[in-house]
Structure formats: structure tokens, C-alpha cells
Amino acid sequence: MKQIKLSYMAVMALGALTVFQACKPKNSKSAVGADAAAKAYVAPGEYDSYYNFVSGGFSGQMSAYGLPSGRLLRVIPVFSVDPEKGWGYNEETKPMLNTSHGFVPWDDLHHTELSQTNGETDGRWVFGNANNTPRVARIDLKTFRTAEIIELPNSAGNHSSPFITENTEYVVAGTRFSVPPDDVNGDVAINTYKQNFKGYISFIGVDKTSGKMDLSFQIECPGVNFDLSHAGKGKSHGWFFFSCYNTEQASTLLEVNASQKDKDFIMAVNWKKAEEYLKAGKARKVMAKYVHNVYNESTHSATSEMKNEVMVLSAKELKDICYMIPCPKSPHGCDVDPSGEYIVGSGKLAALIPVFSFDKIISAIGKKDFAGEYDGIPVIKYESALYGEVKKPGLGPLHTEFDGNGNAYTSFFVSSEVVKWNIKDLKVLDRISTYYSVGHLCIPGGDSKKPSPKYLIAYNKITKDRYLPTGPELSQSAQLIDISGDKMQMILDFPTIGEPHYAQGIPAEKIKDNQVKIFKIDENKHPYVAKGEAESKVVREGNKVHVYMTSIRSHFSPDNIEGIKMGDEVYFHVTNLEQDWDVPHGFAVKGALNAELLIMPGETQTLKWVPDRVGIFPMYCTDFCSALHQEMQGYIRVSPAGSTVPLTFSTGKAIPEATAATK
Ligand code: K7E
Ligand code: CUA
């Protein structure tokens, strides 16, 4: 949420709060107690007790850390290409980054959300949002790989996403930028925002068994900025809550123009009702192009499908699916407590935290206790929905997590602290400095029905000097806070990748024993697989040359290829024949304009290579795989176009003998 670095202008315009720039407290070095090191210490060879899935912001990726050590375990490529793993560079994964705009190799991933069963994290999948070119990804936690990406039509800036319902029925996605819908002429003056711009909320259905996503329906809402959301749970299951800002509907200089009103809104959505309307045929079929990309584990390849239509419900026409609840000053986080009764709005320019009551919201709707309408949507009276306000908690509340013991923890960007408060009596219980402007918080399970309240992690917004300097940009950071006692205790800082936003944590037992260790070679259905060295070959089809290559400790087959000519496109389809856990082989060839391949046991991956000059080109394994890894190499001979050198390939022979097939 870098956009809330407030400018002088905004501060002047707001006037009320004087100290907006977060200050770095003194004595930051002495704040950590002597026992802290022991609490975060995980001995060499020991496992951490939690996984922490942290969004990578503008890196476009997600990373997995162990807690409490803060050790980085893996960067999972999602929306950005990753040369380390060949993601988006090999032929198999390129379709995963396809969109209706074409190949988009980067995005801005703000929020992670674990799948849930009965309101508890189940360790099956973790979802991530693409904030720039609106998409939602599902990562399979058996492989720690992105399994699926779906694009969202009628949207721009998919920020309020990907939040889920308590049985992962839906992943929702609210658009940050309202824009003209895809099926109308969008060539309109920007200052016609109020008439022409609309906000869309997408409900992506998730298959219970496979996890496969599908865009079930969208709700057309007033043009505002949807910022964050959370599903109801328990008694409020069936509802979703979205924070909205820019209810002023400004299209320029939002730092001033979207901060005019004293209150913006939280929008409550009755999605069960929306489902009924969908079934009753009340949705409009709207033509809109969006792609759906799926990675198939048996062909080891992704496919990208263009979709053309989406069902849209109108919140304006169907009056009882959306309700606006006034919420002070540009609400950011929108969090629901484990019981589902309390909805916490965090107005980033507010100096209090409003807590809304689900029961009161329902009774206000029943009594039509409305204060008019906002663009056709009923507005519930603030007092009628309000449970109470946390008074003077700090400055600039952003996000709240829960411990399941009746306490809430809210991050304060401006006053750089985490504040613990009691949900029932709204009293502040404790506060701890974060030494930097803090953004999101994470308690493992902290947005589910069953948190595991041992640790809280606070992720920075604005980097501060917590580590050795690294040039113009300092390291991004997270802080681990022990919340097992009455008083919060900071125990560790650890650097993060990209800009961290939301994160999720889960006990390691829910994931660690379910890992895919190898892909069975017999079950490999890749069209260019070679299931043994005997099947390795080179086939010419016009100017395309397909190399069916195998790798096993410590050689490739074939490892000598001649007869490649200028103008050829060479496809190395490399199958890793190993069937042991953690024995990947790599593959790289000199001058390739993409990346390496990193091929897991039993898997096939393809590197495209177009030689740009005549000569001998080495290829080699990039991943240290045995004592003879450095011997795992080969040569390719490239001859001029029109050369009569026959296409031959071999392994272990001084002179190539086998002549390649020509189709
Ligand atoms: Cu960083 Cu969730 Cu984009 Cu708040 S958001 S901080
Ligand atoms: Cu195979 Cu190194």
C-alpha cells in the first residue's frame, strides 16, 4: 500500500492529523529481550513449526518462510517470469502468463489466502492476486507451484482479492480502479467517471476436489475503489465485506479529492442471495474476454483458454444484495473476527477503529434503517451498524488480525506500532513499536475461525534501516512478535522479497507430509517425453528440430548433435529420468535467449533455441546433481543454412552414427 505515503498537500488538505510521516523510534536496538534469540532459534537440521506465505508485491511472486526462524524456504513464481526455475521461459509454462492482452510476464501480488475447510486453513492451496492486470492464481501446496491463473474481466487493479469463503466456495476479487465495463465503448472522457465508471466484484467458484477455478458471476457496483475484503464466517457465512474508498468518485489527484468525505463505506454483500438471483436467471450475460490458464501435471504443460462471457448481477437493480455501511476516512483493511460477529474497518486516515456488529447490520436491514442510498445502493445508518469504536488506538490503522481468544491486533502505519485490543470491551491492552511504518499483519489462521495464536508477523510498508545498507533501496522486512503472553514481545527481524503485503501462516503439519516427491515417469503424458534413453532421438520437421532428450546422473542423451543449420528452431524437450526425491537436473545452452530449465524427477520441460551463428555450442546441466555434475555436458554443431551435414545424434560415441528421422 505504498500509495499512502502522504504528501504535504494531503496533510494540509486533511489538517486534522499533524504527524503523518511515521517516525523511527529511538533505542530500537535495546528493545529485544535477552530471551528473544532462544524463542526464534531453530537448531540446524530442525524444522520450523509454521509455514509463512508472504506476498511479494511488485516482485509478482510469493515466498514461503519457516517460522519462527524467518528462514526463506522458497520463492514461488506466480505472475512474474523466474529464470531460476524457467517459469515463463520454458514452453510449458508460457501459457500460464497469457492474458487477454497477450503474454504479461509481471504483476504486483498483494495478498495471499490459504484455502479453508469449515473455516480452518486446510493446507491444500494458497491463492494470490495480480493487482495490475487483474488475475487470481492458485498455488498447489503439494508442489509449491502455481497450478492455475484466471483473468478477471471488467476489472482494473485487482486489489481487494483473493479472499475466500469458509469452505473455499468462492475466491472473491474486487476491482481497485473502477473503469467503464468491457462491453461498452470505453473511449470516454476521464471526467465522466461518475456516469461511466463502474466497480465490479468477481466471485470465482472453486471446485471442492480439484481446486479448479471458474468465474461464477460478477456484481456490478457503483464506481469507487474497492480496497480490501473478508468473508463472513460462522453466523455471517454467506456475506462478504469490502472496504471502499474514493466514494467521492474522483478521477484526479485522489490524495486530496478522495479524502474529502468524513466517511467512506464498507460494502456488505449477501452472496447467498446473489447465488439465488443467478439461479433465478436475474443475471445478464455480458460479452467480455478473459483467459483461464491451467497447468496439467500429467502432461507437465499449461494450456490457456480464452473465455468470452460472464454473468453479471446489478447491485442497483437487485436492491438486497449489497448494502453500504459508513466507515470513517478511507477504510483500508476490512477484517472479520473468528466468530463472524465483528467486522473491523480500518480508516487509514482515522484516529479510531470502528467495529461493526453483524447482528446489528442484519437487524438494520430488516428494519430498513437506512440513511438514503449511494448510487442506488441502500446505506445503513452508521450508528445502526456500529458495535463500538476503539478510542485513541493510534494513528493510521490499516489491518487487523485475531488470536481467537477475544483479542484483535491492528497495525498503525502512521504511529508505526501494533496495538492489541479486546474485541468485547474495545479497550487497548498493549502496544508495541515496529520501528518502521507497518502494513499488513499475520497470525497463522488469523483471518480464519481457528487462529493459532503463538506468533504475529508485522510486514513493513516503508523500508527502514533494520539491516546492512544495500544501495539506494534498503531491504524489505518482517518482524516476528511473540503473542503467547499478555504482553507482546518482539523476537526477530527478517528480510523479505519484494514488498510484503498480506501473508498467511499455517502449522507445518498441515503441509509438510503431503509433498509430491517425484513425478512418475510411467505417467508422464508430455507429447515429447522420452521415457528412457532408448527413446531419445532428434526429429526434423522442416526448420523445426525436436530433440527428445533425457537426463540422468550424470549425462544427457543425446549429448552430441550435428546437422543443425542456421534458420532452424531447436526445441530441447528434456525428460529427467530420475525417480528420487530432490534430484532435479538443469539444462542450458549457450546463447539461448530465455533461461535455464530446472526439471524435476519424471518431468519433461522444453527450451526453445534459435542458433544465431555457425559453430559448436556447449550445453550443460545447471544444477549440481552428483560428484560428476560438472561432466554432465554435451555439444551441438551448427552449420550454415543449406549445408549437407546430416542430422545425427549420439551418446557415448566418438563419431555420431544414428541418423535422425525426418518427418
Ligand atoms: Cu499493502 Cu493489502 Cu495492497 Cu495494506 S495493501 S498495507
Ligand atoms: Cu545433472 Cu547436474
Side-chain angles (χ1 to χ4, degrees):
M1 221 204 63
K2 276 226 156 128
Q3 69 267 24
I4 67 166
K5 281 186 210 169
L6 292 163
S7 71
Y8 175 73
M9 204 172 194
V11 174
M12 293 313 286
L14 291 157
L17 302 171
T18 48
V19 191
F20 268 110
Q21 292 299 341
C23 41
K24 181 178 157 68
K26 304 216 166 64
N27 306 323
S28 58
K29 290 207 184 91
S30 57
V32 174
D35 61 335
K39 288 189 171 179
Y41 184 70
V42 179
E46 298 277 315
Y47 287 164
D48 280 288
S49 41
Y50 292 90
Y51 284 98
N52 189 202
F53 295 98
V54 183
S55 59
F58 45 72
S59 83
Q61 317 296 44
M62 196 184 288
S63 34
Y65 294 82
L67 295 179
S69 72
R71 298 184 292 205
L72 173 63
L73 308 175
R74 188 163 187 84
V75 176
I76 304 167
V78 186
F79 297 114
S80 297
V81 291
D82 179 0
E84 180 197 354
K85 301 169 188 84
W87 180 254
Y89 289 103
N90 63 39
E91 297 305 300
E92 286 77 7
T93 56
K94 278 179 184 171
M96 291 300 282
L97 302 179
N98 191 33
T99 72
S100 62
H101 303 270
F103 183 75
V104 177
W106 167 86
D107 220 296
D108 185 13
L109 194 164
H110 279 222
H111 306 120
T112 65
E113 180 91 331
L114 285 160
S115 56
Q116 293 184 13
T117 304
N118 299 323
E120 282 185 54
T121 56
D122 57 24
R124 299 205 290 169
W125 311 301
V126 59
F127 299 89
N129 68 321
N131 195 21
N132 179 55
T133 303
R135 288 171 280 177
V136 167
R138 178 174 58 87
I139 288 104
D140 189 334
L141 292 176
K142 292 199 299 296
T143 56
F144 280 59
R145 282 178 166 186
T146 302
E148 192 178 5
I149 293 179
I150 192 164
E151 192 183 3
L152 301 165
N154 297 316
S155 303
N158 169 38
H159 192 264
S160 180
S161 166
F163 296 95
I164 58 153
T165 53
E166 67 180 29
N167 285 300
T168 321
E169 293 95 338
Y170 292 108
V171 179
V172 309
T175 188
R176 169 180 159 194
F177 301 101
S178 283
V179 286
D182 291 355
D183 65 334
V184 303
N185 178 11
D187 181 15
V188 296
I190 296 168
N191 66 12
T192 62
Y193 186 110
K194 277 190 216 292
Q195 301 93 279
N196 292 323
F197 291 35
K198 298 277 175 246
Y200 278 76
I201 307 281
S202 305
F203 283 77
I204 302 164
V206 179
D207 183 84
K208 270 193 163 49
T209 322
S210 65
K212 201 118 179 266
M213 301 189 287
D214 188 29
L215 182 52
S216 307
F217 62 93
Q218 292 188 310
I219 303 177
E220 187 187 280
C221 300
V224 294
N225 287 39
F226 290 106
D227 207 13
L228 280 153
S229 59
H230 262 103
K233 43 178 95 90
K235 59 158 75 167
S236 54
H237 179 59
W239 288 76
F240 232 103
F241 304 93
F242 293 84
S243 57
C244 331
Y245 67 104
N246 191 25
T247 56
E248 295 86 349
Q249 302 188 306
S251 57
T252 180
L253 207 59
L254 263 65
E255 63 174 341
V256 174
N257 294 331
S259 306
Q260 297 298 313
K261 289 195 184 166
D262 191 43
K263 291 194 176 66
D264 292 279
F265 296 120
I266 283 178
M267 186 172 80
V269 178
N270 185 343
W271 60 262
K272 289 264 186 192
K273 192 94 211 167
E275 276 183 334
E276 284 171 24
Y277 282 131
L278 184 71
K279 275 206 196 100
K282 300 280 187 199
R284 202 158 46 92
K285 190 185 279 179
V286 168
M287 304 313 278
K289 290 210 174 304
Y290 59 102
V291 304
H292 183 198
N293 309 326
V294 180
Y295 188 83
N296 179 327
E297 244 174 47
S298 74
T299 60
H300 302 289
S301 304
T303 47
S304 178
E305 184 196 353
M306 181 69 80
K307 308 277 236 176
N308 295 304
E309 55 188 46
V310 56
M311 302 308 287
V312 176
L313 295 161
S314 163
K316 216 177 195 169
E317 286 160 21
L318 306 165
K319 291 261 181 239
D320 54 352
I321 47 178
C322 294
Y323 301 90
M324 296 297 196
I325 304 164
C327 185
K329 285 269 166 223
S330 302
H332 184 56
C334 182
D335 300 290
V336 181
D337 90 305
S339 75
E341 164 64 5
Y342 302 103
I343 298 113
V344 180
S346 295
K348 55 191 185 261
L349 305 178
L352 56 81
I353 306 171
V355 180
F356 300 98
S357 151
F358 180 69
D359 288 345
K360 288 187 75 178
I361 291 169
I362 293 301
S363 118
I365 291 170
K367 289 188 287 200
K368 295 207 183 311
D369 200 359
F370 301 143
E373 287 191 345
Y374 176 82
D375 208 353
I377 313 293
V379 177
I380 299 172
K381 284 190 188 130
Y382 179 65
E383 291 73 22
S384 305
L386 189 72
Y387 172 72
E389 293 169 341
V390 185
K391 305 281 189 201
K392 300 221 167 89
L395 289 181
L398 288 187
H399 297 286
T400 300
E401 288 273 285
F402 304 92
D403 66 6
N405 298 323
N407 303 307
Y409 300 74
T410 302
S411 56
F412 287 84
F413 172 81
V414 177
S415 51
S416 293
E417 59 189 334
V418 177
V419 174
K420 175 182 178 182
W421 49 278
N422 182 281
I423 304 172
K424 280 265 150 63
D425 66 17
L426 306 174
K427 292 266 177 331
V428 170
L429 300 171
D430 191 23
R431 57 181 71 236
I432 190 167
S433 171
T434 51
Y435 306 102
Y436 50 62
S437 305
V438 60
H440 273 280
L441 303 177
C442 164
I443 291 172
D447 68 342
S448 74
K449 275 180 170 171
K450 271 245 177 79
S452 349
K454 195 160 180 211
Y455 305 109
L456 174 144
I457 312 97
Y459 302 92
N460 80 196
K461 285 292 88 192
I462 296 180
T463 56
K464 284 274 188 273
D465 53 344
R466 301 297 287 171
Y467 310 101
L468 286 171
T470 50
E473 194 199 13
L474 299 178
S475 181
Q476 304 272 356
S477 185
Q479 285 181 332
L480 187 69
I481 295 166
D482 181 343
I483 55 165
S484 59
D486 285 343
K487 290 270 159 204
M488 292 181 277
Q489 185 193 10
M490 184 166 304
I491 54 181
L492 185 74
D493 269 349
F494 60 96
T496 64
I497 307 244
E499 181 187 345
H501 298 261
Y502 199 34
Q504 295 268 284
I506 185 169
E509 302 78 65
K510 291 195 191 180
I511 290 180
K512 74 175 170 54
D513 300 325
N514 307 331
Q515 299 303 296
V516 168
K517 296 183 172 151
I518 59 156
F519 299 101
K520 289 196 185 120
I521 190 84
D522 302 334
E523 293 170 9
N524 183 324
K525 297 209 168 55
H526 193 289
Y528 293 97
V529 65
K531 293 191 181 182
E533 283 186 24
E535 293 182 15
S536 65
K537 61 184 173 185
V538 181
V539 176
R540 174 180 287 283
E541 289 171 21
N543 74 328
K544 291 192 169 52
V545 178
H546 292 281
V547 181
Y548 296 66
M549 186 179 272
T550 60
S551 62
I552 195 159
R553 281 162 288 183
S554 296
H555 63 274
F556 293 105
S557 179
D559 68 359
N560 278 201
I561 301 170
E562 299 197 359
I564 304 291
K565 289 181 273 193
M566 287 300 292
D568 282 349
E569 276 175 17
V570 184
Y571 294 87
F572 296 99
H573 309 285
V574 187
T575 301
N576 180 350
L577 297 176
E578 306 283 353
Q579 292 287 273
D580 294 321
W581 194 11
D582 197 28
V583 191
H585 290 287
F587 178 82
V589 59
K590 186 184 173 189
L593 299 177
N594 34 33
E596 68 158 351
L597 299 176
L598 190 62
I599 314 137
M600 298 304 130
E603 188 180 36
T604 306
Q605 286 188 22
T606 303
L607 192 81
K608 180 182 173 183
W609 176 59
V610 181
D612 71 325
R613 64 194 74 171
V614 166
I616 299 293
F617 290 79
M619 51 156 189
Y620 73 103
C621 172
T622 48
D623 186 339
F624 199 102
C625 49
S626 79
L628 295 170
H629 153 79
Q630 204 69 346
E631 279 71 19
M632 194 165 174
Q633 64 166 60
Y635 291 104
I636 299 142
R637 174 182 170 190
V638 176
S639 304
S643 144
T644 55
V645 175
L647 188 64
T648 56
F649 61 92
S650 66
T651 313
K653 302 202 175 70
I655 301 157
E657 282 171 357
T659 301
T662 301
K663 267 195 199 167

